[in-house]
Amino acid sequence: KNAVMFNFENGSFTTDKTDVAAYKAFFDDLWKNRNGKAAEAPESEPRLPSDEKLVSELQLEPEPLPPAPTWPDLPAAEQLQFNGEAFPAYAVRPQHPIQAQLVHAIQASKKSIRLSLYEFTLPEILDALRDAKKRDLKIEIVMDYAHVYPRGLDHSGKPRRRSPEIQALMDEGFDIRVIRGLKSTGSMHNKFALFDGTMLNAGS
């Protein structure tokens, strides 16, 4: 509900046959996942658990992770050229290392990096941004207000705190702007990056 009514979100569209075929393979795997099941209308109105029950379940030991999926090879992604470096048109976890491509894009940038982030918890990306800052690139970051100025308690009952990576961005003088979503529950939920104003990364 927040996503369609109160959040800042973004979307991109493509008809590239290779990209579409890759995401079709990804969707097919999700559709056939052993944890999935067909959704059917319940015979009676579902009773949602209380907030207390949800919190108590968060405090339980998590179940072991299932075995990693075995996928057939996805169609080869179209290669993009950016400042003399090659990038895939798409990357899908767990087969492809998305984080490594983001570090590569930061390293290949020569003028500017503009990030629109819901949250920030990746130390490898922080290190790449530090290096870019030393190279005098213009770096601008827009983040969700609630992650930069957290309030209240987390699921364990402890005060919410900003991530060490966000704290480092603030301490080290990065140019950050914060935006609230619409109304009290909305978020700045975007996740995209612009490199030198000529290459875009968007995705979950």
Side-chain angles (χ1 to χ4, degrees):
K1 182 177 180 180
N2 276 357
V4 297
M5 296 183 67
F6 307 133
N7 286 358
F8 290 98
E9 303 278 1
N10 68 89
S12 59
F13 298 85
T14 180
T15 56
D16 181 88
K17 292 181 180 179
T18 302
D19 293 355
V20 172
Y23 275 87
K24 178 182 181 299
F26 186 32
F27 185 90
D28 287 344
D29 182 74
L30 296 173
W31 185 260
K32 294 180 292 187
N33 188 288
R34 66 181 180 84
N35 293 319
K37 61 181 181 180
E40 298 178 355
E43 295 180 359
S44 59
E45 185 73 18
R47 293 186 61 186
L48 298 178
S50 65
D51 290 347
E52 291 75 16
K53 180 172 175 54
L54 290 173
V55 170
S56 67
E57 290 179 349
L58 286 171
Q59 295 169 342
L60 297 175
E61 287 295 321
E63 295 181 4
L65 292 175
T70 55
W71 290 355
D73 290 338
L74 295 177
E78 176 188 351
Q79 293 292 300
L80 310 179
Q81 292 296 316
F82 173 64
N83 289 344
E85 299 287 330
F87 292 85
Y90 60 81
V92 177
R93 285 191 64 200
Q95 284 199 336
H96 303 136
I98 299 173
Q99 182 171 311
Q101 296 297 342
L102 294 173
V103 171
H104 187 196
I106 293 170
Q107 293 171 340
S109 297
K110 297 180 178 180
K111 298 177 182 178
S112 64
I113 299 168
R114 310 186 83 189
L115 305 174
S116 180
L117 305 174
Y118 175 58
E119 59 180 334
F120 184 47
T121 58
L122 299 174
E124 293 83 359
I125 303 296
L126 173 62
D127 288 341
L129 290 174
R130 285 169 167 159
D131 289 341
K133 192 168 186 277
K134 291 177 182 176
R135 292 187 282 121
D136 292 326
L137 271 70
K138 183 177 183 180
I139 302 173
E140 297 173 316
I141 305 170
V142 175
M143 296 198 66
D144 177 51
Y145 182 94
H147 284 87
V148 178
Y149 300 109
R151 295 188 303 174
L153 305 177
D154 63 18
H155 67 273
S156 66
K158 297 178 181 178
R160 295 184 186 275
R161 299 185 181 280
R162 65 178 65 100
S163 73
E165 291 76 17
I166 294 176
Q167 187 65 56
L169 291 176
M170 297 174 70
D171 292 344
E172 295 172 26
F174 283 85
D175 194 358
I176 303 172
R177 300 289 185 271
V178 294
I179 297 180
R180 296 179 186 269
L182 306 177
K183 298 192 176 181
S184 61
T185 60
S187 299
M188 201 299 298
H189 207 235
N190 294 314
K191 299 117 182 166
F192 67 86
L194 292 162
F195 304 99
D196 286 353
T198 59
M199 185 170 73
L200 166 71
N201 166 260
S204 67

